[in-house]
Amino acid sequence: MASTLVELPDLDTIRRWLRRIQEILVLGGVSLAVVLSLAFIGAWVLSHLRRAKAQDEPKITWLSHVALVGSLVPVGLTVLAAAGMFIPVLRPLMLKFFAYAAAGAAVSWLISVAALIVGGGQQELRRIRRALLLAGTPFYCLAVWLARFLVLGF
């Protein structure tokens, strides 16, 4: 009599499949983090095409301050996420801190780009450029953090 049951793979095969799925997910996460990091750096590079306004033109100085202060939020959250590697109490919250830092970085990036479009004097443009670089911090660190899973294994 023929068996109607489909043979299931052994546990080692299932483990290899799961490990491969994890590797693909990590590789995709690293790729996404690198692409977003390059977008932040690209915006910073393109910001150097912006010329400072002349002294007699009206300037909006508060927007560059908001952009710079807003970029410190994702940096702080990234520092908290990194502290989770060394402080066991923070370890379960690492991914949440990274997620909040990424969301804060997106908001900070939008404010920085808006400030860049508005423009300003040389000081304002310096603050905006610094804000753009700082806002990308979560993605720079996330790419490195995820890449360590590829190097060290699971």
Side-chain angles (χ1 to χ4, degrees):
M1 187 165 162
S3 175
T4 58
L5 296 175
V6 177
E7 289 186 33
L8 295 174
D10 62 345
L11 288 177
D12 288 333
T13 304
I14 293 173
R15 279 192 198 106
R16 281 195 312 267
W17 288 351
L18 289 175
R19 187 168 305 275
R20 183 68 183 143
I21 289 170
Q22 285 178 336
E23 289 172 358
I24 290 170
L25 288 174
V26 168
L27 188 59
V30 169
S31 301
L32 181 64
V34 167
V35 166
L36 290 172
S37 297
L38 291 176
F40 278 87
I41 293 172
W44 175 76
V45 168
L46 290 176
S47 73
H48 286 281
L49 297 176
R50 182 77 162 118
R51 300 272 182 217
K53 288 186 175 181
Q55 294 292 344
D56 57 348
E57 290 186 52
K59 299 180 210 172
I60 302 175
T61 59
W62 61 269
L63 195 54
S64 65
H65 288 287
V66 170
L68 185 58
V69 170
S71 69
L72 295 177
V73 172
V75 171
L77 288 169
T78 304
V79 168
L80 279 174
M85 293 179 69
F86 307 106
I87 303 171
V89 175
L90 295 177
R91 189 162 291 146
L93 302 172
M94 282 177 69
L95 288 178
K96 281 188 180 184
F97 286 143
F98 269 132
Y100 292 141
V107 171
S108 176
W109 186 80
L110 289 173
I111 294 170
S112 299
V113 168
L116 187 63
I117 291 170
V118 170
Q122 193 63 29
Q123 288 287 73
E124 285 80 21
L125 289 178
R126 278 192 205 121
R127 274 193 288 273
I128 294 166
R129 289 177 185 134
R130 188 172 299 127
L132 282 169
L133 280 179
L134 287 174
T137 302
F139 297 106
Y140 314 143
C141 294
L142 189 61
V144 171
W145 186 71
L146 287 174
R148 99 187 149 94
F149 289 116
L150 291 175
V151 176
L152 299 177
F154 292 96

